[in-house]
Amino acid sequence: MKRARPGGIAALVMIMVATLLVSGFGAGGAGAAERPWWEPVDRPAPDSQINVSGEPFTGTDANGDVRGFVDTHNHLMTNEAFGGKLVCGKPFSEKGVADALKDCPEHYPDGAGALLENLTVDPDGHHDPDGWPTFKDWPSHTTMSHQQNYYAWLERAWRGGQRVLTTDLTSNGVICSIYVRDRGCDEMDSIRLQAEKVNDMQAYIDKMYGGEGKGWFRIVRSPEQAREVIKAGKLAVVLGVETSEPFGCKQILDVAQCGKKDIDAGLDELQKLGVSSMFLCHKFDNALCGVRFDSGTQGTIINVGQFLSTGTFWKTEKCRGREHDNPIGSAKVPEWEAKLSPGAKVPSYDDEARCNTRGLTGLGKYALNGMMDRGMMAEVDHMSVKAAGQAMDIMESVKYPGVISSHSWMDRNWTERLYRMGGFVGSYDLDSKAFVEEAGATADLRKKYGVGLGYGTDFNGLGSHPAPRGADAPDKVTYPFRSYKGGPLVDRQRSGERVWDVNTDGGAHVGMVPDWIEDVRKLGGDKLVDELLSGAQSYLDTWNATASWDRPENLARGGTASASSSESSTFRTPPRSTDHHWSLREVAVHVK
């Protein structure tokens, strides 16, 4: 018998171990070596299906640019806002899909308890409350009170080519206070909780993929971080804020209920939370700026809410330029108007007076400058045209590029000015035909300034979404399809017993984004999809220019005058309260 060569046994053992690893029987268990990087190590079961096959794209193009679709306006955690009961279901749950996608108890047995949805989109006032696994009535393209951002649906959007998601932390103290709730109504408390939950969602997905930092859902705080995430083929998640009275900056009878110290402390806190973009006002005229009106039924509801919070209704005037705010309309909503004190009545409005009298206040200018000094992108959607014009005057005077219109709430006449400043635009995800028409109206400007296009889905933002064009449309979406040339294969999405089809279901939830983009391609062509794929790089261009901006030394820190319509008033100063809602008697006392 020959004697073994020195080291021969050790070498044989190493060969055997290597063979086992290659065969998938080593560390990680059977098949570990075969698992694609984009598939989780351990997905919960049961769960929603993704129904997208193929490797997500990574890296950059020949010019070094990233690519991908950009959702500039979404609300992942609205179920935690408005008192915790307005939007039913959660984007994820440790207990599984059946717990995450269930209706609110208040909606049983027939959906009559979904008050806001029934007032605005469902005249019958009823729906089947069951979610998982049947989903008979929700989510739908018209739903306003059911979860549309379940993590697996968002995963489908990412797998289909989306690479940036701005999730706006949001709430409204008045809606919270008059709706069923299980918590307090302080808007900043809600924002803190939602920021925490977004981080929890990241950890939940990381765990599914094998540990911290391994998931596809990545919260980013800088354009550099976002670029690395997108290059790796993952989803860069940007935190924004869209709330009605940030930092307690409401106005009561035209008197500001916050000061500069509140604004500084609030902006510092948001920066620590990782917030990179923000609206100064939303729905209600506040101590910072006047808003762009809502129309129709929703306009009446919001106008009543503003009065309950501030003691003032919207006030209009004739516009001074070609830009104008939305018409308020004269829709009657008796169920909502009954919440007003006896004698209070929603005003009628002159059709020729389309502009909010309120612009950017002195405190608003101070807050905008504070955002600029912290490198935060400023959202001009929801600002009145007077406020938006004043805000852009300030930013333009110091060459600040960080201006965003994320979901078609800015007057379109501002578009070229915004592009010239270096900003970015996301169009609301309208019905595919309307989206193609809106995109076409500004196509020449995008070509002129060399920018891509984003879309703002506003899922769980209390609005409607793309309607289906119908199974009999001559150019309907055919499954399976590729959402861009060489992209992964997208089939109909299945959740439990429900199978979704964009031709008949429209934009029912965030997982239908790839299907909606294919519907857009059917009408707008490959060129429009290419513009959408350029959105990721253009968004990063705006953010990078914002992060690297320095205030010009030869220009004073403008717009910090102390006097404004919300800061100097002949009214007696009401108590500083962010949750007080005014009766007619209290209004009369303070006006005296």
Side-chain angles (χ1 to χ4, degrees):
M1 181 176 177
K2 291 185 178 180
R3 186 178 177 184
R5 220 169 15 123
I9 294 176
L12 180 61
V13 170
M14 291 178 67
I15 291 171
M16 292 175 64
V17 170
T19 301
L20 287 172
L21 287 171
V22 170
S23 300
F25 292 102
E34 300 173 1
R35 181 182 62 82
W37 68 266
W38 60 91
E39 294 287 358
V41 175
D42 186 20
R43 189 184 297 280
D47 205 356
S48 171
Q49 296 180 21
I50 309 301
N51 306 110
V52 177
S53 58
E55 182 175 1
F57 57 78
T58 60
T60 59
D61 65 16
N63 297 319
D65 292 339
V66 297
R67 60 176 179 159
F69 305 129
V70 182
D71 185 347
T72 49
H73 195 102
N74 198 325
H75 299 279
L76 290 182
M77 296 297 164
T78 310
N79 60 294
E80 303 292 351
F82 305 105
K85 294 286 188 177
L86 186 59
V87 171
C88 307
K90 311 169 192 175
F92 73 98
S93 173
E94 297 286 352
K95 297 178 182 179
V97 65
D99 180 65
L101 296 178
K102 64 182 181 182
D103 209 344
C104 292
E106 295 77 21
H107 291 187
Y108 283 84
D110 62 356
L115 299 179
L116 184 60
E117 184 167 322
N118 295 341
L119 281 173
T120 54
V121 299
D122 184 4
D124 293 331
H126 299 280
H127 69 261
D128 184 331
D130 286 345
W132 176 272
T134 57
F135 299 107
K136 181 178 182 293
D137 286 341
W138 69 269
S140 73
H141 70 277
T142 60
T143 190
M144 293 185 70
S145 58
H146 296 97
Q147 185 58 244
Q148 297 174 293
N149 279 319
Y150 184 58
Y151 93 91
W153 297 339
L154 181 60
E155 180 179 342
R156 177 180 165 90
W158 159 64
R159 291 274 299 272
Q162 185 168 306
R163 291 296 177 268
V164 178
L165 170 73
T166 296
T167 178
D168 285 310
L169 316 176
T170 188
S171 197
N172 182 289
V174 171
I175 293 177
C176 170
S177 70
I178 60 182
Y179 207 79
V180 61
R181 62 187 184 277
D182 62 9
R183 64 197 66 178
C185 294
D186 184 276
E187 292 182 13
M188 293 305 295
D189 283 347
S190 181
I191 285 169
R192 295 178 190 108
L193 176 61
Q194 291 173 60
E196 178 184 332
K197 292 294 185 179
V198 176
N199 280 274
D200 289 347
M201 184 167 168
Q202 177 176 265
Y204 175 80
I205 295 172
D206 276 355
K207 183 179 178 181
M208 198 182 305
Y209 277 76
E212 184 177 353
K214 294 186 177 181
W216 52 267
F217 182 97
R218 312 305 322 152
I219 301 168
V220 294
R221 290 171 172 256
S222 70
E224 294 82 10
Q225 287 181 356
R227 180 175 173 82
E228 292 308 307
V229 165
I230 298 169
K231 282 175 62 178
K234 299 184 179 184
L235 181 69
V237 180
V238 182
L239 299 187
V241 165
E242 181 191 41
T243 198
S244 296
E245 294 163 339
F247 324 133
C249 282
K250 66 191 297 178
Q251 56 89 11
I252 298 177
L253 297 170
D254 296 318
V255 178
Q257 299 296 291
C258 69
K260 293 178 180 178
K261 289 183 179 179
D262 300 305
I263 293 169
D264 287 335
L267 289 174
D268 287 344
E269 180 180 15
L270 292 185
Q271 194 169 39
K272 289 178 182 177
L273 289 175
V275 171
S276 298
S277 65
M278 181 180 170
F279 293 76
L280 287 179
C281 52
H282 174 242
K283 301 303 184 184
F284 294 173
D285 296 332
N286 62 23
L288 306 178
C289 57
V291 294
R292 187 168 169 83
F293 309 129
D294 281 75
S295 302
T297 299
Q298 190 151 319
T300 301
I301 291 173
I302 298 299
N303 205 4
V304 169
Q306 166 158 313
F307 183 84
L308 293 175
S309 179
T310 70
T312 61
F313 290 108
W314 289 327
K315 299 175 183 177
T316 64
E317 64 184 7
K318 289 188 177 181
C319 303
R320 301 173 185 174
R322 61 177 182 166
E323 296 81 20
H324 55 76
D325 293 318
N326 295 322
I328 297 175
S330 56
K332 298 297 181 184
V333 189
E335 302 93 328
W336 208 258
E337 293 175 77
K339 299 180 184 299
L340 294 170
S341 302
K345 184 180 179 181
V346 178
S348 59
Y349 293 94
D350 182 355
D351 291 339
E352 300 300 317
R354 290 280 299 277
C355 282
N356 195 335
T357 61
R358 299 175 189 265
L360 196 66
T361 70
L363 284 177
K365 294 172 185 176
Y366 184 84
L368 177 60
N369 275 285
M371 290 176 62
M372 292 159 60
D373 288 337
R374 290 166 177 81
M376 296 173 68
M377 291 178 283
E379 295 262 14
V380 293
D381 283 4
H382 288 298
M383 282 185 176
S384 67
V385 294
K386 180 182 287 188
Q390 291 168 331
M392 285 192 278
D393 285 345
I394 291 171
M395 290 185 280
E396 206 167 31
S397 71
V398 291
K399 296 180 170 56
Y400 190 74
V403 55
I404 302 286
S405 172
S406 61
H407 64 327
S408 300
W409 267 82
M410 177 189 74
D411 188 295
R412 188 185 291 168
N413 289 314
W414 293 124
T415 305
E416 181 162 17
R417 185 179 185 186
L418 183 147
Y419 282 146
R420 188 170 60 242
M421 292 168 64
F424 185 76
V425 172
S427 295
Y428 194 75
D429 69 335
L430 304 163
D431 300 350
S432 53
K433 182 180 179 183
F435 182 87
V436 169
E437 290 173 351
E438 181 168 302
T442 53
D444 288 345
L445 291 177
R446 290 193 300 279
K447 182 177 180 180
K448 178 179 179 179
Y449 292 95
V451 295
L453 179 64
Y455 51 81
T457 62
D458 205 16
F459 280 117
N460 288 149
L462 309 185
S464 61
H465 302 284
R469 289 198 294 126
D472 57 349
D475 48 2
K476 70 178 184 179
V477 171
T478 56
Y479 291 89
F481 62 84
R482 298 187 188 278
S483 54
Y484 52 90
K485 187 177 181 180
L489 200 63
V490 180
D491 209 340
R492 290 178 179 84
Q493 199 278 315
R494 177 181 289 274
S495 296
E497 299 172 12
R498 180 72 183 270
V499 178
W500 307 88
D501 185 321
V502 73
N503 299 299
T504 54
D505 299 311
H509 57 68
V510 72
M512 301 301 290
V513 164
D515 312 57
W516 171 76
I517 289 174
E518 173 65 3
D519 202 29
V520 165
R521 187 190 69 80
K522 288 283 187 176
L523 298 177
D526 292 333
K527 183 178 180 181
L528 181 54
V529 175
D530 288 342
E531 288 192 74
L532 289 167
L533 280 169
S534 298
Q537 183 60 51
S538 291
Y539 181 88
L540 289 189
D541 288 342
T542 292
W543 194 3
N544 187 63
T546 303
S548 60
W549 173 84
D550 287 317
R551 188 178 292 278
E553 293 181 3
N554 62 334
L555 291 176
R557 191 174 185 274
T560 57
S562 59
S564 77
S565 62
S566 289
E567 292 178 280
S568 58
S569 174
T570 56
F571 296 131
R572 292 168 50 194
T573 304
R576 286 171 59 92
S577 167
T578 59
D579 286 327
H580 193 73
H581 311 303
W582 290 80
S583 69
L584 188 62
R585 178 176 297 178
E586 289 174 304
V587 172
V589 168
H590 285 288
V591 171
K592 287 181 179 178

